[in-house]
Amino acid sequence: MTTHHDPPATPRSDTGGWVPPRTAPERRPGPAGPRQPLPGRLWRGRPEDPRWVRPAFLGLLAATLLLYLHNLSASGYANSFYSAAVQAGSTSWKAFFFGSLDAGNAITVDKPPASLWPMELSVRVFGLRSWAILAPEVLMGVATVAVVYAAVRRRFSPVAGLTAGAVLALTPVAALMFRFNNPDAMLALLMAVACYLVVRAVEDGRTRWLVWAGLAIGFAFLAKTLQAFLILPPLAIVYAVCAPVPWRKRFGQLAAATLALVVAGGWWVAVVELWPASSRPYIGGSQHNSFLELTFGYNGLGRLNGDETGSMGGGGGGNGAGRWGETGWDRMFGSETGGQVSWLLPAALILLAAGLVATRKLRRTSVTRASFLVWGGSLLMTMAVFSYMAGIFHQYYTVALAPYLAAVTGMGAGLLWERRRRPWASITLAVSVVAAAAWGYVLLNRTPDYLPWLKWLVLTGGLVAAFGLVFAGRITRRLALGAAAVGLVAALAGPTAYTLSTLQEGHTGSIVTAGPAGASMMGGPGGGPGGGGVRGGFGGAMPSRQGQQGGQGQQGQQGGLGGPGAGFPGAGGPGGGMPGGSQQNGNGPSQMQPGQQGRPGGPNGNGFPGGGTGEGGMGGSGGLLNGASVSAEARRLLEKNAARYTWVAASVGSQNAAGYQLATGDPVMAIGGFNGTDPSPTLAQFKKYVAEGKIHYFIAGGGAGPGGGSGSGTASRISSWVQSNFQKVTAGSATFYDLTQKASG
């Protein structure tokens, strides 16, 4: 029943209720009137939309773009591991294709190269600088917001689409990773595109949409391997059940989509596997120079069961504390991860359940229900895997959840709002607002010194809004809209504050988190039970803001890579920092980019960026997370006669090599790959390179990995051979060995 406050309504069988005509009809809309010129269509949007809709959408995209571009260069080279690969790919097409860490093509990064390609093309055009590397990631973030808006808007109201887009843009981990050079930005974009395309396929049963979805997931595989396949089960099941075509055709279409996926993701794999190993770079992260081994081992099943050969060690299953944090059903809500992504997760789960209940009696081919199943199924599937994976897990992985969570929130809120005259719908909508506000209060209370007044504002605003929403179907539309607006502000206030805090700081290294200091406490490798917490698990005092804070670990929390007597086997120094470090206690200078000031680490071996490493060393464990800082003297030494050599230097561990490569712009060989544990090059190969005059210097003290400061056995043998046979050279505080000068005596 409508009132004079609402526009005329028309029935729609898909939702089972009365909805305003602005909601997309179940059938495919046909052309409306003469086709306008492109500028007019871009500004006006759908002819049936109110005039404010398209400007509001464009405003959302513009605001997201400006927000994410703010202070972008503060992160410098961000993750120097990938930035070094970008630098290499911008100067060598072979490095571009294979994803090599260096232009000499000694070894690749431990992922496929698709996520590097946009950054490498940008650097080819604009030169090697921070914004040229990170701006493509920002554009991917804006594109993801646009895709989520389009998906929700197509089936629900414009406000629902705008809400979903805003939720995504203001999720702290999204604001972090869409400004960072890890593969996760491309992965999140392509997964959102795949969900959108599958819903389009359910809408009209056309094969092309499903094939495009397969292509998107296949290309996502080339960004982050098997993580791209996490949402395949819900997408395939939803289409198989809900598509409006005969079942034989459905399975034929799924087969075509699978073929598209295999082609999109498999062409590069086939080339790499068939390419002679002697003329391509070693596959970083593998133990036998095989990308398939890397895919199904270190980057595949190893992430689930913790059996990751060559890594720093896995985690624990069940509800125990693992080396990569606690696993269990509540992992996404815990102190390690909650502040990154879970702000609206309780509300989203309530809205998802409500959406499925509301559409339970609709026909099999209902697109509205299929939308909830596609986005909600992707959310639940990814949550489940993240919650129980016992291998390497970092908080920033949760950016993969952000598009699904945002879409479910927008869809659920939109559906319940249209049905608000029904008591169950208005009450459920109110409950979701209370859940968001209460959980926001809990998360804000975990950082009690950060805006202490905000948690009370969030809680109070949420309760007031919920009271109004309970009666949303019986009060005037203006009052109901006011209550909804207050509820939205209360729900988004916490994540917005964390997002703004994230944007104000630079983020460097391999492990980064969003929000203010102390927002994420995570036990790292070696942390285990009792070693938990970001500040206690790694290096005795891992900063929760990379490159921003060192400080001491939590009282009574030792372990990880730097509490007294802790660290990897063989770890030394009073703080148990990684051996081979140039600083006694692992408290080297910051490894941040020029112009960024890090704080020194505390006395227990803290050594992550900002609690950093010394030149060429691995003080604490910082070199494992970010490239070494390089002095002007060291840079001049390496740049002298650099053109004569394939590699100006070699160093154990990719991060240490990356720091020198970015400083000089010349290739630096990473012995042993990221952790120093890959058997590449062998001692015989390294001797051959030296005899042929391809490497000028060996950088001392670049160890990384569970075996101690020299990385793997292969890296250790190379280090010992170099130190016994070649002349030592000092530049600044770093030590080198000149591989063209034999040691005297």
Side-chain angles (χ1 to χ4, degrees):
M1 173 177 181
T2 60
T3 70
H4 66 281
H5 298 288
D6 295 312
T10 55
R12 189 176 68 187
S13 59
D14 180 52
T15 60
W18 294 85
V19 294
R22 62 179 178 274
T23 304
E26 185 68 5
R27 61 184 180 277
R28 289 178 61 236
R35 191 173 181 83
Q36 296 181 354
L38 180 60
R41 294 201 307 274
L42 290 175
W43 181 254
R44 180 64 182 86
R46 298 182 182 183
E48 67 271 19
D49 278 347
R51 289 190 173 275
W52 59 266
V53 172
R54 182 52 63 91
F57 166 58
L58 296 177
L60 171 65
L61 297 187
T64 304
L65 178 64
L66 293 175
L67 196 68
Y68 286 1
L69 287 176
H70 171 73
N71 203 32
L72 185 63
S73 295
S75 293
Y77 289 134
N79 188 340
S80 57
F81 176 60
Y82 290 116
S83 287
V86 168
Q87 182 272 333
S90 69
T91 59
S92 164
W93 286 112
K94 186 174 182 179
F96 178 95
F97 178 80
F98 286 107
S100 301
L101 184 71
D102 60 278
N105 291 289
I107 194 168
T108 71
V109 297
D110 57 2
K111 299 290 188 299
S115 66
L116 301 173
W117 290 339
M119 294 183 282
E120 289 168 340
L121 292 174
S122 174
V123 169
R124 278 184 178 268
V125 174
F126 300 107
L128 183 65
R129 46 180 56 88
S130 179
W131 66 265
I133 294 173
L134 301 180
E137 309 299 286
V138 171
L139 295 178
M140 290 181 200
V142 175
T144 309
V145 170
V147 170
V148 169
Y149 166 86
V152 175
R153 168 65 188 94
R154 186 168 181 82
R155 283 292 116 197
F156 301 87
S157 69
V159 174
L162 293 170
T163 299
V167 169
L168 173 58
L170 295 174
T171 299
V173 72
L176 172 69
M177 296 313 295
F178 287 130
R179 293 159 45 86
F180 204 73
N181 59 334
N182 279 19
D184 301 78
M186 176 175 283
L187 180 75
L189 169 60
L190 292 172
M191 294 296 91
V193 168
C195 290
Y196 170 80
L197 292 170
V198 169
V199 174
R200 289 296 302 269
V202 172
E203 182 179 298
D204 57 18
R206 294 187 180 181
T207 304
R208 65 176 184 179
W209 299 121
L210 209 59
V211 169
W212 279 112
L215 291 173
I217 295 175
F219 198 74
F221 172 83
L222 294 183
K224 211 176 179 188
T225 58
L226 294 184
Q227 188 177 335
F229 295 168
L230 290 186
I231 65 173
L232 278 179
L235 298 191
I237 291 172
V238 170
Y239 190 80
V241 172
C242 301
V245 294
W247 68 268
R248 290 179 184 272
K249 184 174 181 180
R250 278 177 253 161
F251 287 101
Q253 291 172 321
L254 287 170
T258 302
L259 178 61
L261 184 156
V262 171
V263 170
W267 69 271
W268 183 87
V269 178
V271 171
V272 171
E273 290 297 309
L274 294 174
W275 198 292
S278 60
S279 64
R280 62 161 171 79
Y282 185 92
I283 304 300
S286 73
Q287 297 300 301
H288 300 92
N289 199 13
S290 168
F291 180 77
L292 292 178
E293 175 204 336
L294 172 68
T295 299
F296 294 102
Y298 180 78
N299 281 338
L301 296 178
R303 299 290 170 122
L304 300 179
N305 59 26
D307 183 14
E308 298 161 303
T309 303
S311 79
M312 295 189 299
N319 287 303
R323 293 182 176 182
W324 295 101
E326 296 212 5
T327 59
W329 67 269
D330 60 343
R331 190 180 202 177
M332 298 299 100
F333 301 93
S335 59
E336 302 166 358
T337 306
Q340 306 299 298
V341 74
S342 75
W343 296 86
L344 271 71
L345 189 52
L349 296 176
I350 293 171
L351 293 170
L352 174 60
L356 294 176
V357 169
T359 58
R360 69 189 185 282
K361 295 183 179 180
L362 302 184
R363 63 184 184 276
R364 174 183 62 82
T365 57
S366 166
V367 182
T368 301
R369 181 174 55 204
S371 298
F372 280 106
L373 291 172
V374 164
W375 292 96
S378 299
L379 174 65
L380 295 176
M381 188 71 183
T382 308
M383 275 184 60
V385 173
F386 283 175
S387 295
Y388 288 97
M389 59 187 288
I392 295 175
F393 176 81
H394 300 311
Q395 297 99 314
Y396 66 77
Y397 290 178
T398 57
V399 70
L401 297 172
Y404 316 140
L405 188 154
V408 168
T409 301
M411 292 188 301
L415 182 64
L416 293 183
W417 173 259
E418 299 296 355
R419 298 184 174 204
R420 64 189 180 278
R421 293 181 182 81
R422 302 181 182 184
W424 74 267
S426 61
I427 291 173
T428 305
L429 192 58
V431 169
S432 68
V433 171
V434 170
W439 186 241
Y441 175 90
V442 172
L443 292 176
L444 289 168
N445 199 46
R446 291 177 179 174
T447 51
D449 295 331
Y450 175 73
L451 302 179
W453 52 268
L454 184 59
K455 60 185 177 184
W456 297 109
L457 183 64
V458 166
L459 185 60
T460 303
L463 294 176
V464 170
F467 180 79
L469 289 172
V470 167
F471 303 100
R474 293 184 287 277
I475 58 179
T476 65
R477 180 179 177 84
R478 181 171 297 179
L479 288 176
L481 285 173
V486 172
L488 183 62
V489 170
L492 290 178
T496 299
Y498 267 47
T499 292
L500 294 177
S501 176
T502 302
L503 300 178
Q504 292 302 317
E505 300 174 352
H507 298 82
T508 61
S510 297
I511 303 177
V512 290
T513 55
S520 291
M521 299 294 183
M522 184 172 184
V534 173
R535 301 171 189 276
F538 282 101
M542 174 182 170
S544 61
R545 308 277 9 95
Q546 295 302 320
Q548 295 296 319
Q549 184 171 355
Q552 297 187 10
Q554 299 285 337
Q555 184 177 3
Q557 291 183 323
Q558 297 174 354
L561 294 178
F568 286 137
M578 298 287 277
S582 59
Q583 304 296 325
Q584 182 182 12
N585 291 331
N587 302 326
S590 169
Q591 297 181 43
M592 300 173 69
Q593 300 301 322
Q596 292 178 273
Q597 181 62 46
R599 300 181 187 177
N604 286 330
N606 32 312
F608 278 3
T613 74
E615 288 181 319
M618 290 286 300
S621 59
L624 183 63
L625 299 173
N626 201 16
S629 64
V630 180
S631 68
E633 295 89 344
R635 186 170 61 251
R636 285 194 294 270
L637 176 72
L638 295 181
E639 289 175 342
K640 185 177 181 180
N641 299 322
R644 298 181 182 179
Y645 304 92
T646 303
W647 297 277
V648 295
S651 173
V652 176
S654 293
Q655 290 286 25
N656 204 49
Y660 282 93
Q661 181 169 302
L662 290 168
T664 62
D666 297 310
V668 175
M669 177 185 290
I671 299 172
F674 187 84
N675 294 321
T677 55
D678 299 346
S680 176
T682 64
L683 177 58
Q685 288 172 326
F686 190 82
K687 288 181 177 180
K688 183 173 181 291
Y689 291 141
V690 172
E692 293 172 347
K694 292 185 176 181
I695 311 173
H696 196 177
Y697 291 101
F698 179 87
I699 305 170
S710 298
S712 67
T714 299
S716 178
R717 287 191 290 272
I718 291 174
S719 299
S720 298
W721 177 73
V722 167
Q723 293 171 19
S724 300
N725 290 278
F726 295 96
Q727 198 172 97
K728 182 186 296 186
V729 179
T730 300
S733 60
T735 299
F736 302 87
Y737 289 87
D738 188 340
L739 301 182
T740 66
Q741 299 293 324
K742 290 286 186 177
S744 57

